[in-house]
PDB file of all heavy atoms in Angstrom:
ATOM      1  N   LEU A  64     106.462  16.143 -12.708  1.00 98.00           N
ATOM      2  CA  LEU A  64     105.358  16.836 -13.252  1.00 98.00           C
ATOM      3  C   LEU A  64     104.018  16.335 -12.790  1.00 98.00           C
ATOM      4  O   LEU A  64     102.995  17.008 -12.896  1.00 98.00           O
ATOM      5  CB  LEU A  64     105.362  16.847 -14.865  1.00 98.00           C
ATOM      6  CG  LEU A  64     106.520  17.502 -15.465  1.00 98.00           C
ATOM      7  CD1 LEU A  64     106.711  17.277 -16.893  1.00 98.00           C
ATOM      8  CD2 LEU A  64     106.417  19.034 -15.263  1.00 98.00           C
ATOM      9  N   THR A  65     103.911  14.986 -12.346  1.00 98.00           N
ATOM     10  CA  THR A  65     102.577  14.378 -12.109  1.00 98.00           C
ATOM     11  C   THR A  65     102.356  13.987 -10.757  1.00 98.00           C
ATOM     12  O   THR A  65     101.202  13.952 -10.319  1.00 98.00           O
ATOM     13  CB  THR A  65     102.388  13.110 -13.089  1.00 98.00           C
ATOM     14  OG1 THR A  65     103.289  12.159 -12.611  1.00 98.00           O
ATOM     15  CG2 THR A  65     102.655  13.349 -14.646  1.00 98.00           C
ATOM     16  N   GLY A  66     103.408  13.504 -10.076  1.00 98.00           N
ATOM     17  CA  GLY A  66     103.295  13.009  -8.760  1.00 98.00           C
ATOM     18  C   GLY A  66     102.490  11.634  -8.745  1.00 98.00           C
ATOM     19  O   GLY A  66     101.989  11.116  -7.762  1.00 98.00           O
ATOM     20  N   PHE A  67     102.380  10.946 -10.028  1.00 98.00           N
ATOM     21  CA  PHE A  67     101.615   9.675 -10.160  1.00 98.00           C
ATOM     22  C   PHE A  67     102.662   8.617 -10.225  1.00 98.00           C
ATOM     23  O   PHE A  67     103.639   8.631 -11.076  1.00 98.00           O
ATOM     24  CB  PHE A  67     100.943   9.891 -11.553  1.00 98.00           C
ATOM     25  CG  PHE A  67      99.977   8.694 -11.874  1.00 98.00           C
ATOM     26  CD1 PHE A  67      98.885   8.417 -10.984  1.00 98.00           C
ATOM     27  CD2 PHE A  67     100.147   7.889 -12.982  1.00 98.00           C
ATOM     28  CE1 PHE A  67      98.072   7.344 -11.272  1.00 98.00           C
ATOM     29  CE2 PHE A  67      99.369   6.826 -13.271  1.00 98.00           C
ATOM     30  CZ  PHE A  67      98.334   6.607 -12.325  1.00 98.00           C
ATOM     31  N   ASP A  68     102.376   7.658  -9.424  1.00 98.00           N
ATOM     32  CA  ASP A  68     103.418   6.623  -9.227  1.00 98.00           C
ATOM     33  C   ASP A  68     103.122   5.149  -9.672  1.00 98.00           C
ATOM     34  O   ASP A  68     103.434   4.295  -9.179  1.00 98.00           O
ATOM     35  CB  ASP A  68     103.576   6.453  -7.576  1.00 98.00           C
ATOM     36  CG  ASP A  68     105.037   5.982  -7.200  1.00 98.00           C
ATOM     37  OD1 ASP A  68     105.892   5.981  -8.153  1.00 98.00           O
ATOM     38  OD2 ASP A  68     105.138   5.519  -6.177  1.00 98.00           O
ATOM     39  N   GLU A  69     102.399   5.129 -10.900  1.00 98.00           N
ATOM     40  CA  GLU A  69     102.120   3.866 -11.514  1.00 98.00           C
ATOM     41  C   GLU A  69     102.960   3.708 -12.770  1.00 98.00           C
ATOM     42  O   GLU A  69     103.290   4.733 -13.409  1.00 98.00           O
ATOM     43  CB  GLU A  69     100.668   3.802 -11.834  1.00 98.00           C
ATOM     44  CG  GLU A  69      99.633   3.688 -10.671  1.00 98.00           C
ATOM     45  CD  GLU A  69      98.229   3.451 -11.058  1.00 98.00           C
ATOM     46  OE1 GLU A  69      97.969   3.032 -12.252  1.00 98.00           O
ATOM     47  OE2 GLU A  69      97.362   3.648 -10.262  1.00 98.00           O
ATOM     48  N   PRO A  70     103.263   2.447 -13.116  1.00 98.00           N
ATOM     49  CA  PRO A  70     104.028   2.185 -14.388  1.00 98.00           C
ATOM     50  C   PRO A  70     103.120   2.387 -15.552  1.00 98.00           C
ATOM     51  O   PRO A  70     101.790   2.467 -15.506  1.00 98.00           O
ATOM     52  CB  PRO A  70     104.389   0.708 -14.222  1.00 98.00           C
ATOM     53  CG  PRO A  70     103.418   0.011 -13.295  1.00 98.00           C
ATOM     54  CD  PRO A  70     102.919   1.189 -12.426  1.00 98.00           C
ATOM     55  N   SER A  71     103.726   2.334 -16.782  1.00 98.00           N
ATOM     56  CA  SER A  71     103.135   2.331 -18.027  1.00 98.00           C
ATOM     57  C   SER A  71     102.074   3.426 -18.408  1.00 98.00           C
ATOM     58  O   SER A  71     101.322   3.134 -19.197  1.00 98.00           O
ATOM     59  CB  SER A  71     102.383   0.944 -18.123  1.00 98.00           C
ATOM     60  OG  SER A  71     103.237  -0.154 -17.793  1.00 98.00           O
ATOM     61  N   ALA A  72     102.324   4.485 -17.769  1.00 98.00           N
ATOM     62  CA  ALA A  72     101.476   5.702 -18.134  1.00 98.00           C
ATOM     63  C   ALA A  72     102.189   6.536 -19.059  1.00 98.00           C
ATOM     64  O   ALA A  72     103.393   6.389 -19.307  1.00 98.00           O
ATOM     65  CB  ALA A  72     101.210   6.516 -16.852  1.00 98.00           C
ATOM     66  N   VAL A  73     101.535   7.451 -19.641  1.00 99.00           N
ATOM     67  CA  VAL A  73     102.122   8.489 -20.563  1.00 99.00           C
ATOM     68  C   VAL A  73     101.214   9.767 -20.292  1.00 99.00           C
ATOM     69  O   VAL A  73     100.176   9.830 -20.319  1.00 99.00           O
ATOM     70  CB  VAL A  73     102.011   8.050 -22.175  1.00 99.00           C
ATOM     71  CG1 VAL A  73     102.511   9.278 -22.979  1.00 99.00           C
ATOM     72  CG2 VAL A  73     102.838   7.010 -22.407  1.00 99.00           C
ATOM     73  N   ALA A  74     102.112  10.880 -20.039  1.00 98.00           N
ATOM     74  CA  ALA A  74     101.576  12.187 -19.853  1.00 98.00           C
ATOM     75  C   ALA A  74     101.609  13.133 -21.183  1.00 98.00           C
ATOM     76  O   ALA A  74     102.824  12.953 -21.686  1.00 98.00           O
ATOM     77  CB  ALA A  74     102.200  12.927 -18.634  1.00 98.00           C
ATOM     78  N   LEU A  75     100.663  13.892 -21.512  1.00 98.00           N
ATOM     79  CA  LEU A  75     100.810  14.857 -22.636  1.00 98.00           C
ATOM     80  C   LEU A  75     100.549  16.233 -21.889  1.00 98.00           C
ATOM     81  O   LEU A  75      99.586  16.396 -21.221  1.00 98.00           O
ATOM     82  CB  LEU A  75      99.720  14.543 -23.638  1.00 98.00           C
ATOM     83  CG  LEU A  75      99.571  13.134 -24.241  1.00 98.00           C
ATOM     84  CD1 LEU A  75      98.532  13.223 -25.398  1.00 98.00           C
ATOM     85  CD2 LEU A  75     100.981  12.812 -24.879  1.00 98.00           C
ATOM     86  N   PHE A  76     101.446  17.071 -22.356  1.00 98.00           N
ATOM     87  CA  PHE A  76     101.191  18.451 -21.976  1.00 98.00           C
ATOM     88  C   PHE A  76     100.995  19.292 -23.307  1.00 98.00           C
ATOM     89  O   PHE A  76     101.862  19.262 -23.960  1.00 98.00           O
ATOM     90  CB  PHE A  76     102.490  19.019 -21.260  1.00 98.00           C
ATOM     91  CG  PHE A  76     102.605  18.207 -19.913  1.00 98.00           C
ATOM     92  CD1 PHE A  76     103.531  17.073 -20.005  1.00 98.00           C
ATOM     93  CD2 PHE A  76     101.886  18.312 -18.748  1.00 98.00           C
ATOM     94  CE1 PHE A  76     103.657  16.296 -18.797  1.00 98.00           C
ATOM     95  CE2 PHE A  76     102.020  17.632 -17.686  1.00 98.00           C
ATOM     96  CZ  PHE A  76     102.830  16.550 -17.695  1.00 98.00           C
ATOM     97  N   LEU A  77      99.833  19.980 -23.347  1.00 98.00           N
ATOM     98  CA  LEU A  77      99.412  20.472 -24.674  1.00 98.00           C
ATOM     99  C   LEU A  77      99.021  21.961 -24.459  1.00 98.00           C
ATOM    100  O   LEU A  77      97.788  22.382 -24.479  1.00 98.00           O
ATOM    101  CB  LEU A  77      98.308  19.705 -25.180  1.00 98.00           C
ATOM    102  CG  LEU A  77      98.426  18.214 -25.181  1.00 98.00           C
ATOM    103  CD1 LEU A  77      97.103  17.391 -25.468  1.00 98.00           C
ATOM    104  CD2 LEU A  77      99.519  17.725 -26.120  1.00 98.00           C
ATOM    105  N   PRO A  78      99.960  22.858 -24.134  1.00 97.00           N
ATOM    106  CA  PRO A  78      99.715  24.235 -23.881  1.00 97.00           C
ATOM    107  C   PRO A  78      98.901  24.955 -24.965  1.00 97.00           C
ATOM    108  O   PRO A  78      98.206  26.005 -24.711  1.00 97.00           O
ATOM    109  CB  PRO A  78     100.964  24.912 -23.547  1.00 97.00           C
ATOM    110  CG  PRO A  78     102.123  23.982 -23.849  1.00 97.00           C
ATOM    111  CD  PRO A  78     101.499  22.538 -24.194  1.00 97.00           C
ATOM    112  N   TYR A  79      98.993  24.534 -26.230  1.00 96.00           N
ATOM    113  CA  TYR A  79      98.291  25.255 -27.327  1.00 96.00           C
ATOM    114  C   TYR A  79      96.834  24.794 -27.419  1.00 96.00           C
ATOM    115  O   TYR A  79      96.058  25.280 -28.364  1.00 96.00           O
ATOM    116  CB  TYR A  79      99.074  24.807 -28.630  1.00 96.00           C
ATOM    117  CG  TYR A  79      99.110  23.393 -28.815  1.00 96.00           C
ATOM    118  CD1 TYR A  79      98.306  22.603 -29.503  1.00 96.00           C
ATOM    119  CD2 TYR A  79     100.471  22.793 -28.148  1.00 96.00           C
ATOM    120  CE1 TYR A  79      98.435  21.160 -29.521  1.00 96.00           C
ATOM    121  CE2 TYR A  79     100.475  21.348 -28.339  1.00 96.00           C
ATOM    122  CZ  TYR A  79      99.465  20.603 -28.936  1.00 96.00           C
ATOM    123  OH  TYR A  79      99.625  19.227 -28.965  1.00 96.00           O
TER     124      TYR A  79
END
Side-chain angles (χ1 to χ4, degrees):
L64 292 169
T65 66
F67 184 61
D68 205 21
E69 289 186 19
S71 307
V73 174
L75 303 184
F76 301 95
L77 314 169
Y79 51 89

